[in-house]
Amino acid sequence: GLFIYDQATSSMMHENDEEFPFTAPKYRTYRAFCDSHDNLWLSALWQGCTCIQMSSQRFDSHAPLVNAMREKMVASMAVDKQQRLWISTQGTGIYAYNLTTQHFRHIDTKDIVNINKIKTANTFSNRNNVVFVDSNGDLWVSLTPRGLLQLSIKGEEIELLNYYNLPIAIVL
């Protein structure tokens, strides 16, 4: 279940508590992420993701993204300085969603691997585990069955900076 920690009272609330600030989704939450706009993003296995605007307690305020991610396994989320929400999935690549303009973009990590002729130890399956944006704005994507991509994102252009052939157990 979902829990919220209230810093003001140093207490925990469960989703079944009367004071819980929103109705929890009916699915089991896999990942949670809070962006700089105070949106709470929740993902579930094969259920996509849901956005909750904490200020208004409204669900699905980013309908284009929520609809596009429906029935996808969202593994990880991170936001960059350009207010793009990066979403990694198990099987369909990564996605960039501009929180301001609501522009949605799919990036097939399989294409990045093939275009750059990266030799992976096993067959690459377009399954991504973790996305992370570093302080330089580079996007890091861990791959299944192994590997780590360091990508430079300039506008709509994506450039592979480095590929590290690491075991999947490496988690950012």
Side-chain angles (χ1 to χ4, degrees):
L2 289 176
F3 291 87
I4 291 183
Y5 177 72
D6 185 343
Q7 287 182 323
T9 63
S10 297
S11 63
M12 296 282 284
M13 272 184 275
H14 184 262
E15 65 186 54
N16 293 336
D17 293 344
E18 274 186 39
E19 299 83 28
F20 202 74
F22 58 88
T23 303
K26 302 255 186 268
Y27 54 73
R28 181 175 168 214
T29 301
Y30 180 68
R31 296 275 192 248
F33 175 77
C34 192
D35 67 25
S36 61
H37 297 286
D38 289 328
N39 293 316
L40 177 63
W41 296 87
L42 304 173
S43 71
L45 300 176
W46 304 110
Q47 299 287 324
C49 60
T50 300
C51 176
I52 302 164
Q53 280 185 324
M54 294 306 290
S55 59
S56 64
Q57 300 174 12
R58 279 187 18 216
F59 277 91
D60 299 340
S61 60
H62 295 273
L65 174 64
V66 172
N67 290 335
M69 299 309 296
R70 196 171 310 309
E71 297 183 14
K72 292 185 175 45
M73 185 175 164
V74 174
S76 177
M77 296 176 274
V79 71
D80 66 16
K81 292 176 185 172
Q82 287 73 42
Q83 296 302 303
R84 290 176 295 209
L85 178 66
W86 294 94
I87 303 167
S88 70
T89 65
Q90 294 283 318
T92 57
I94 56 178
Y95 296 83
Y97 178 71
N98 188 306
L99 295 167
T100 306
T101 65
Q102 297 190 352
H103 177 260
F104 183 76
R105 177 180 178 202
H106 173 246
I107 297 140
D108 193 333
T109 44
K110 198 180 243 185
D111 290 344
I112 293 169
V113 168
N114 292 336
I115 288 168
N116 290 284
K117 297 180 174 60
I118 295 171
K119 303 244 188 291
T120 59
N122 297 316
T123 304
F124 180 68
S125 63
N126 206 17
R127 292 179 62 199
N128 309 291
N129 295 308
V130 177
V131 289
F132 174 79
V133 180
D134 67 19
S135 59
N136 295 324
D138 293 340
L139 182 68
W140 295 78
V141 181
S142 69
L143 308 172
T144 299
R146 62 186 302 122
L148 182 65
L149 299 175
Q150 179 186 10
L151 305 172
S152 172
I153 312 295
K154 304 278 192 265
E156 294 293 311
E157 292 190 32
I158 298 174
E159 177 188 354
L160 176 69
L161 297 177
N162 288 300
Y163 168 75
Y164 303 94
N165 189 7
L166 301 170
I168 196 58
I170 302 295
V171 178
L172 298 174

